[in-house]
Amino acid sequence: MDKDGVGYGIDLQNFEQTVISLFDKGIACTKNVPQLEKMVMKKLFWSATPLLETVGENEPPVVETREFIRKATQKSIIPLIAYAREYEKYLELFNLDINAYLSDYDSQDHSAVEVKLEIEKHLAEKEILENTIPSMIVIGPFQINTETVRQKLATKRKALANQVIELLAKKLRKQNEEACEEFKQIARTLYDKPNCIEELSEQREYMKTIPDLLKKNQELIDKAVVDYELIEEFYYSISQDDFNAK
């Protein structure tokens, strides 16, 4: 499986030639087989080593058998081609660029609930892949190893889920930094010593707005805490700085 489509690691047409080659080698092995008489009657004089009669590679029965094997091998490849087509539905995922996906996803405004659903979707699809695609399958005379494709697709889904979680964590980190900066700004304004009556009056007016400012920032903090709990549901390991900010 690659950008060009689904296929096998070897050319399927090589099987036909390989099987025919083995058949021809088997016919060739029947030549020059000595008869047993010379080996048993060792006291007799033999002018030459008598050989067993064998068939020629171009005799009608041999030609017919070779052609039968050729057609049977060709027919056995048909199910392989059909099975490969079953994996075409995974091409979009296989060729998906994670960075491009994240850039597009980040450009849209998603709520925490929507992000959670997106993460759960990727994890559910990962489980489906692991339960649907076998590690190995036997089709006719062929044994196909599909573990590599299975692992790559499942790993891709897991990576997508992790990247969406990381994207949410970055947004929460930014929200926390902005909220902390707001509180620091309030503290700096309150600690500023007025130098005149006008500044004192302005400070008193500003103090009247503090409850509304605190309420606004507290709502953002409460939302961030809920969103962090959402991340923890997926066993995401936050950094020490994020933990302290939380």
Side-chain angles (χ1 to χ4, degrees):
M1 181 177 289
D2 53 29
K3 293 181 179 180
D4 298 326
V6 180
Y8 293 94
I10 57 177
D11 187 355
L12 296 181
Q13 302 306 320
N14 290 341
F15 284 108
E16 177 185 334
Q17 186 58 41
T18 300
V19 175
I20 294 299
S21 177
L22 290 173
F23 174 77
D24 289 340
K25 287 181 180 179
I27 295 297
C29 287
T30 63
K31 297 180 180 180
N32 301 321
V33 177
Q35 295 183 5
L36 295 177
E37 285 84 347
K38 184 178 180 179
M39 300 177 186
V40 175
M41 295 179 285
K42 298 181 179 180
K43 294 183 178 181
L44 294 179
F45 173 75
W46 300 85
S47 60
T49 301
L51 302 177
L52 292 175
E53 292 186 9
T54 184
V55 294
E57 59 183 17
N58 293 320
E59 291 187 21
V62 175
V63 173
E64 290 176 5
T65 303
R66 184 185 294 110
E67 189 61 25
F68 174 81
I69 294 174
R70 188 190 309 279
K71 290 181 179 179
T73 305
Q74 291 173 349
K75 290 180 179 179
S76 69
I77 293 175
I78 296 175
L80 292 183
I81 298 173
Y83 184 68
R85 288 176 182 155
E86 293 294 319
Y87 285 76
E88 291 179 354
K89 58 187 175 184
Y90 302 122
L91 277 174
E92 182 178 358
L93 172 63
F94 188 86
N95 295 323
L96 178 65
D97 185 284
I98 295 180
N99 292 329
Y101 161 80
L102 284 177
S103 178
D104 179 66
Y105 189 80
D106 191 26
S107 65
Q108 306 171 34
D109 187 19
H110 295 285
S111 66
V113 174
E114 290 174 333
V115 173
K116 179 183 178 182
L117 292 175
E118 185 73 7
I119 296 169
E120 289 177 340
K121 182 192 78 172
H122 289 306
L123 294 178
E125 288 293 335
K126 172 182 176 292
E127 187 173 349
I128 291 174
L129 286 169
E130 292 174 336
N131 294 332
T132 303
I133 300 178
S135 298
M136 181 272 295
I137 186 172
V138 176
I139 300 179
F142 303 99
Q143 178 175 297
I144 305 169
N145 184 352
T146 54
E147 179 63 20
T148 301
V149 174
R150 178 174 177 268
Q151 287 296 331
K152 284 184 177 180
L153 292 174
T155 301
K156 192 71 166 287
R157 281 295 182 188
K158 180 64 175 178
L160 288 169
N162 289 340
Q163 290 299 319
V164 174
I165 295 174
E166 183 63 32
L167 185 64
L168 178 58
K170 288 180 180 179
K171 287 185 176 181
L172 293 177
R173 189 178 304 123
K174 183 178 180 181
Q175 289 178 11
N176 285 342
E177 290 173 352
E178 292 175 351
C180 288
E181 184 58 34
E182 287 287 341
F183 282 114
K184 289 178 182 178
Q185 181 60 41
I186 292 173
R188 284 194 294 267
T189 303
L190 291 176
Y191 280 111
D192 284 344
K193 292 183 179 181
N195 297 317
C196 60
I197 297 297
E198 288 78 8
E199 291 182 359
L200 178 61
S201 177
E202 290 177 0
Q203 191 177 61
R204 286 178 176 175
E205 289 298 322
Y206 177 76
M207 292 173 65
K208 294 179 182 179
T209 65
I210 289 178
D212 291 335
L213 293 174
L214 292 177
K215 181 180 179 182
K216 176 183 176 182
N217 288 320
Q218 188 61 47
E219 290 175 352
L220 293 175
I221 292 174
D222 292 341
K223 180 179 180 300
V225 170
V226 172
D227 292 344
Y228 267 117
E229 291 175 352
L230 181 151
I231 289 179
E232 290 175 353
E233 290 182 17
F234 299 104
Y235 304 102
Y236 176 78
S237 179
I238 63 176
S239 66
Q240 187 62 43
D241 291 339
D242 288 344
F243 181 80
N244 293 335
K246 177 185 173 185

